[in-house]
Amino acid sequence: MPIGEYLNWQEGNPIVPFENPRTAGPARGRCALHRWFAPGELRCTYCGVEVFCLCGRAELAPTVAARLGPPGIMRRAATLDHLLARSLGGATEAANVAVACRTCNCSKGDRRFPAEWIPHRDDNTFVVAGGLPDLTGLGPRARRLGRVVEDFDPAQPGHPVAELAGVLSWRPATVHRALDEMFRAGAFHVTAYPCAPSTRYFYPVADPEDVFAGRIWVDGWL
């Protein structure tokens, strides 16, 4: 889905958990990150961790650096991420760039946030119990997942994909593919919460005529 569909209706900003201080305009200099973002403390837009820039104008707190050690520190290196990837036509402009830790940037790739990717997605994508519409036209994995969802206790909170993968003895990616198939068929509607880390909830749609079936919308800020 286009980035433009994920707008905070109050402020008109792209939905991101953190908005780092920006420069007044594209600044000159060798550092691509600091052409757009002001020096000082920076955080990953997506997962919220403190990051540092190799140019030295954004550093980790000494206590954080000591706790992480060298391997963990390099995962906190700040990168310039394109909300809509350049490979998909995304421009290098203020509305399309964000600060991302190296881990999130590598994980996200060219997928779109939050429709296709969220940080630590297997732990932060939840499926809520409930009855589903007729799934006979879908593949065997989607039907099996549907039976599991219908057997969950509706009084319990949503179940993360990581848990579902364990219950089904599937890889998490297989659970996501089944969810996507069911979503396209109108079996779920999805609410994306722009918090840190971002979460996404799949709610069963009992009535296939529900106007929200098969759509993603933003339900506000947590």
Side-chain angles (χ1 to χ4, degrees):
M1 290 191 177
I3 287 292
E5 293 189 19
Y6 292 96
L7 295 180
N8 175 346
W9 66 272
Q10 292 179 317
E11 299 179 8
N13 294 323
I15 286 179
V16 291
F18 288 94
E19 178 61 34
N20 290 283
R22 291 179 177 263
T23 58
R28 295 181 180 274
R30 294 182 179 179
C31 179
L33 188 76
H34 282 103
R35 290 191 65 224
W36 305 97
F37 296 93
E41 180 181 327
L42 293 175
R43 290 186 174 271
C44 176
T45 296
Y46 305 112
C47 72
V49 298
E50 186 180 348
V51 295
F52 76 96
C53 189
L54 294 172
C55 77
R57 285 185 283 176
E59 298 181 332
L60 295 176
T63 54
V64 174
R67 174 171 54 82
L68 292 172
I73 287 174
M74 290 314 298
R75 289 194 290 270
R76 295 287 191 93
T79 64
L80 186 71
D81 180 61
H82 291 72
L83 297 173
L84 179 63
R86 285 180 293 178
S87 62
L88 300 176
T92 304
E93 58 187 17
N96 195 47
V97 294
V99 177
C101 68
R102 188 184 299 275
T103 298
C104 279
N105 203 340
C106 291
S107 171
K108 177 173 174 282
D110 63 358
R111 289 175 291 179
R112 300 174 183 181
F113 167 84
E116 299 169 343
W117 175 87
I118 57 174
H120 314 294
R121 67 173 189 163
D122 300 335
D123 294 318
N124 294 297
T125 299
F126 298 88
V127 180
V128 178
L132 291 163
D134 183 12
L135 303 176
T136 53
L138 299 183
R141 286 193 174 91
R143 295 199 303 273
R144 185 180 174 196
L145 178 59
R147 290 193 294 271
V148 169
V149 171
E150 290 178 327
D151 286 342
F152 279 140
D153 182 355
Q156 297 297 315
H159 299 268
V161 162
E163 177 188 324
L164 288 170
V167 169
L168 294 162
S169 299
W170 292 353
R171 295 179 183 274
T174 303
V175 180
H176 283 282
R177 284 195 292 271
L179 287 172
D180 289 343
E181 182 182 358
M182 296 165 79
F183 171 71
R184 289 194 300 271
F188 282 113
H189 63 65
V190 181
T191 304
Y193 288 97
C195 58
S198 298
T199 56
R200 183 170 58 167
Y201 288 85
F202 282 78
Y203 290 92
V205 176
D207 180 2
E209 300 302 318
D210 189 319
V211 295
F212 288 119
R215 299 186 185 180
I216 293 180
W217 75 96
V218 175
D219 204 29
W221 298 92
L222 292 183

